[in-house]
Amino acid sequence: MADNSWNGYEYNCLFASEGDGQYADVARPAGADCIRDSRGVAIADFDRDGRLDIAINNNNAEPFIYRNAYEGAGEWLGFRLIGKKSNRDAIGASVTLTVNGKAMTRFVEAGSGYASQGQTTIHMGLGVDAQLERLEVRWPSGQHDTFEKAVLDREIRLGSLVTLVEGEPLSDSSPRPE
């Protein structure tokens, strides 16, 4: 195969939700439609501003990092999980957060795609006027930790990274990065 690509050079795609179960490719208007032999992608909040950024590895070319600078992103929360009975990195744990009557679930993963690895910190975009109602963590050990609205209102600040330790009470959310 020498210098030839197995896939060929193709424009990268970036899909955004249109809010009705449909998605649109916004790579070109976002400036993310490079034509490289891209092989891996990692999603993480590299600059710790609460917005997820994208790193793309390219075969035989420099990687690209796309910084998310969208100002209308709304509120967010991040969760860093630490296992006690479970594995320390909480790989396999799930976090379900109920906000404004809607539940969203995210998982701690050890790998998220070909030739890539995203952050193990869970990120949840909450939109505007977010009212936290319930937080449930299901750990790989089988342990369930549940926190209701009164505790969430007292212990969590929107726009922060919260550390959750298996089997321990909720406390000490980290402040929003400046």
Side-chain angles (χ1 to χ4, degrees):
M1 295 292 303
D3 291 332
N4 296 322
S5 167
W6 288 7
N7 295 345
Y9 289 77
E10 299 175 15
Y11 286 101
N12 289 334
C13 297
L14 176 63
F15 293 99
S17 172
E18 294 182 336
D20 59 358
Q22 302 295 311
Y23 291 84
D25 185 357
V26 298
R28 177 166 275 168
D33 66 336
C34 74
I35 186 163
R36 300 276 188 195
D37 190 9
S38 300
R39 296 300 180 109
V41 63
I43 309 294
D45 184 6
F46 293 113
D47 55 4
R48 297 182 183 199
D49 65 355
R51 296 177 293 230
L52 294 176
D53 308 300
I54 302 171
I56 297 176
N57 190 33
N58 298 298
N59 191 35
N60 297 319
E62 70 278 0
F64 289 122
I65 295 181
Y66 295 101
R67 183 178 167 269
N68 183 349
Y70 180 63
E71 292 297 328
E75 290 293 349
W76 63 278
L77 278 173
F79 296 98
R80 177 179 45 235
L81 278 63
I82 299 173
K84 291 289 194 170
K85 290 187 272 181
S86 300
N87 62 83
R88 173 129 175 104
D89 293 326
I91 303 299
S94 68
V95 174
T96 301
L97 181 63
T98 304
V99 179
N100 297 345
K102 295 183 180 179
M104 64 183 89
T105 302
R106 303 287 185 272
F107 297 89
V108 180
E109 301 175 321
S112 55
Y114 174 75
S116 60
Q117 169 64 47
Q119 64 184 8
T120 55
T121 301
I122 290 175
H123 180 277
M124 292 188 173
L126 308 177
V128 295
D129 299 323
Q131 298 296 314
L132 307 180
E133 297 169 11
R134 181 183 171 109
L135 172 66
E136 182 177 1
V137 182
R138 294 178 182 263
W139 299 89
S141 68
Q143 165 98 23
H144 292 128
D145 294 336
T146 302
F147 307 98
E148 300 296 339
K149 182 174 178 32
V151 173
L152 301 176
D153 287 346
R154 185 179 65 243
E155 298 295 339
I156 291 184
R157 289 183 305 279
L158 298 179
S160 66
L161 177 61
V162 179
T163 299
L164 301 171
V165 180
E166 185 175 13
E168 294 187 8
L170 180 63
S171 63
D172 186 41
S173 63
S174 305
R176 178 191 305 245
E178 297 299 326

